[in-house]
Amino acid sequence: MLRIAYFGPQGTFTEQAARALAPGEDLTPYETVRMALTAVREGAADAACVPIENSVEGVVPTTLDGLSDGDPLVAVAETILPIHFSVLTRPGGGEIRTVASHPHALAQVREWLEANLPGATVVASSSTASAAVGVVEGTYDAAVSAPVAIEHYALEELATGVADVHDAQTRFLLVRRPGELPEPTGADRTSIVAAAVNRTGTLAELLAELASRGINLTRLDARPTRNNFGEYRFFIDFEGHVAEPRIVSAMAALRRRCHLRFLGSHPRADDVAATVEPGAGNQDFVEAQAWVDAVLKGEGA
Amino acid sequence: MLRIAYFGPQGTFTEQAARALAPGEDLTPYETVRMALTAVREGAADAACVPIENSVEGVVPTTLDGLSDGDPLVAVAETILPIHFSVLTRPGGGEIRTVASHPHALAQVREWLEANLPGATVVASSSTASAAVGVVEGTYDAAVSAPVAIEHYALEELATGVADVHDAQTRFLLVRRPGELPEPTGADRTSIVAAAVNRTGTLAELLAELASRGINLTRLDARPTRNNFGEYRFFIDFEGHVAEPRIVSAMAALRRRCHLRFLGSHPRADDVAATVEPGAGNQDFVEAQAWVDAVLKGEGA
């Protein structure tokens, strides 16, 4: 059984993602994203499940920083969860005077609370799961939690599928130490972090290396380095797998231009096949290289 | 006196930024960033002060979305605040058993709390200011708050300048309805939001328009549109002022390539002068245009 670290506590969306990415494995919650990643780096866990981006809140900065600092880790799988909450109460709990959750969760169910629990006092908690614990202990009357919380606490579902914005979703990664890569599927995502000198046009040049090879970006985030504005690392996700000749060509070109770290190639959770531009398919790269090789040997022109 | 809306409540870093950006003006807190911006759009306020990016937490998604949706607003000034907290207690308050703040603030003072208040229970609150209110009311014994909070609440400073990461900072904007632009200073920042079709190489093409004119980016954020991954708006900040010929040339080129919204040109808070590449100064642009005009009139070749 694999030992899977996840950003806890128990009963959050990240646990739900870990169950989806590593069904039946041994899951252990860690207090922070950084601690879950450290567990993998130090060998206390075989892999870690961490959130990477949310369609409402944006990217998760601690995950980006945690992947780019320290020993290398690579993502080998991802999953996307819809962010729909359950509202949990004590069995036969009576009047709901207080409802608790993490401020981010409360912001995503504000309209639902106004419509369905208009009299309740809304209270901040440190996580959606700690709100559920607070209900068990009688501190609050209701918690806005991840659906998986019901499996840990003796509570009742007052409502499920609760969300003001119904298409909000979060993407999670399963990361481990570098090793065998997942097989290419034709619907893959490759992630890198690039640290280039702060010079006019640097990012344009990096992106041109991808664009000129017909490689489609799926995400780009600039994070300040050393906690200062003005100097940035670029987290770039694009379609394709590093085992493909077109991606190999792009990665080698980027490597010449900047400090580069590979963050993984793995199948996309949404199963969207890679766009391939005319003249930029893997066969085109292979044939072009073969032609140059032939020229070199005096066997063609 | 100008009516300045700010993302409240009273006693937060945003109020502190509003005082710096609009000293002596009439400041009114609004419950959300969106509500502060709406107050300006509807004429209830002359300008709004909102956070735009934090060196630890990254960009503020609600501000980006709030500026790109709805009627146009432009930034006319910015300020950068160091994020150092004050720990506030009741005067002569005795033992500190509970300390409260917003989870983001608590994450930034975790080490300080472990070293200085090791026995205290840490409690989440909905804002740094509501934690201070909780101390006034006796709910908590200490609050981790913005320094300005001491001016609103009858509390004592147990400590000031508290932060685990001492160079953490947040940048704030003062935005208003489109009108007269601030004068160019040579150390300006221009902000745009670009929505382009989802096609391989689009972002590389947009950035090449800036790079080929020697214009240096200061920030780039990709935000998913309509709450879905895969389709993005790009928030781009670069050096220079839209009143400069080199910036005019770039903005017109971008306008041909994508849906573009101007988010303002204003002096940089850090006073860093714009990088100008050889052949890409304003005088170069003016002289080049004059040469083409002369060719057109048959007066040169």
Side-chain angles (χ1 to χ4, degrees), chain A residues 157-208:
Chain A
E157 287 173 341
L158 177 69
T160 58
V162 173
D164 293 347
V165 177
H166 270 274
D167 52 4
Q169 49 189 23
T170 299
R171 188 161 63 92
F172 298 85
L173 299 179
L174 188 69
V175 304
R176 61 173 198 211
R177 292 180 295 283
E180 204 180 336
L181 299 174
E183 291 292 316
T185 66
D188 302 299
R189 193 190 310 277
T190 293
S191 305
I192 57 173
V193 52
V197 294
N198 191 0
R199 181 173 56 71
T200 302
T202 299
L203 180 59
E205 288 168 14
L206 298 183
L207 297 188

Side-chain angles (χ1 to χ4, degrees), chain B residues 31 67 101-102 165 168 171 208 216 258 265:
Chain B
E31 201 179 328
L67 290 173
S101 195
H102 189 278
V165 178
R171 190 162 62 92
N216 200 20
C258 61
S265 287

